[in-house]
Amino acid sequence: MGQTLPKPGLRPFLPADVPILAAIFTSSIEELTGDDYSEAQQQAWMEVADSEEFGKHLASDLTLIATLDGSPVGFASLRGNDHIRMLYVHPAVSGQGIATMLVDALEKLAGGRGAQSLNVDASDTAQGFFAKRGYTAQQRNSVTINDEWLANTTMKKTLGAGQ
């Protein structure tokens, strides 16, 4: 008989989560974005996790933690009512529905907060994921992180009454 996989769970962010979320953030960038960003761009992006601002952003946004067997494996944050600020999943569980579960929850929360739409500045790596969920590209952006230019795309999804 096949082994049943543990069912993922969701819980709110706690300040003690910052070190493990920083590790998920850097692992995700290092292992999942290499086809879309140079090593220098990845390094600059990963350095964001070394700053005090990383934990402050997680605490100031509505941040959800995805867990497997109680251990964090991904996280996503909602800034205000209508902006997905971060979505990162550990590479070991990439493609297993963790990101989908996190974004489903953020869409429901945004709708519950009265948002008519939800937007995200999606990395080139994440753009396909969001497009499959009904997000449409609005504009291309270039952002500077630690003296490196990185491109992303602002995407938007209109939330329906069922969100």
Side-chain angles (χ1 to χ4, degrees):
M1 286 215 194
Q3 184 179 2
T4 56
L5 295 172
K7 184 168 172 47
L10 280 178
R11 67 169 176 79
F13 165 80
L14 301 170
D17 292 323
V18 172
I20 187 72
L21 299 188
I24 291 168
F25 178 86
T26 56
S27 293
S28 177
I29 293 166
E30 186 173 40
E31 296 184 39
L32 301 176
T33 67
D35 289 344
D36 301 302
Y37 297 95
S38 71
E39 283 186 41
Q41 289 171 317
Q42 288 176 301
Q43 191 60 44
W45 190 358
M46 289 186 289
E47 288 172 9
V48 168
D50 295 335
S51 73
E52 269 186 47
E53 296 300 308
F54 184 76
K56 288 179 183 175
H57 288 312
L58 293 169
S60 67
D61 295 340
L62 188 156
T63 301
L64 297 177
I65 312 296
T67 62
L68 282 175
D69 288 335
S71 297
V73 294
F75 65 98
S77 62
L78 183 67
R79 166 148 285 182
N81 291 344
D82 63 357
H83 185 76
I84 296 174
R85 179 142 194 223
M86 288 194 226
L87 172 64
Y88 293 89
V89 173
H90 193 280
V93 297
S94 177
Q96 296 181 26
I98 302 296
T100 297
M101 179 181 71
L102 285 162
V103 174
D104 283 349
L106 291 186
E107 289 176 358
K108 284 184 176 79
L109 287 165
R113 290 177 162 193
Q116 301 297 310
S117 63
L118 196 54
N119 61 65
V120 61
D121 294 327
S123 70
D124 290 354
T125 305
Q127 192 172 351
F129 168 81
F130 284 104
K132 287 178 188 169
R133 296 188 56 82
Y135 289 75
T136 56
Q138 304 295 302
Q139 70 181 34
R140 283 292 280 169
N141 308 300
S142 291
V143 294
T144 307
I145 301 176
N146 297 327
D147 296 327
E148 283 290 330
W149 287 94
L150 284 83
N152 67 33
T153 301
T154 300
M155 301 182 79
K156 181 177 180 176
K157 179 179 181 178
T158 300
L159 299 176
Q163 296 294 336

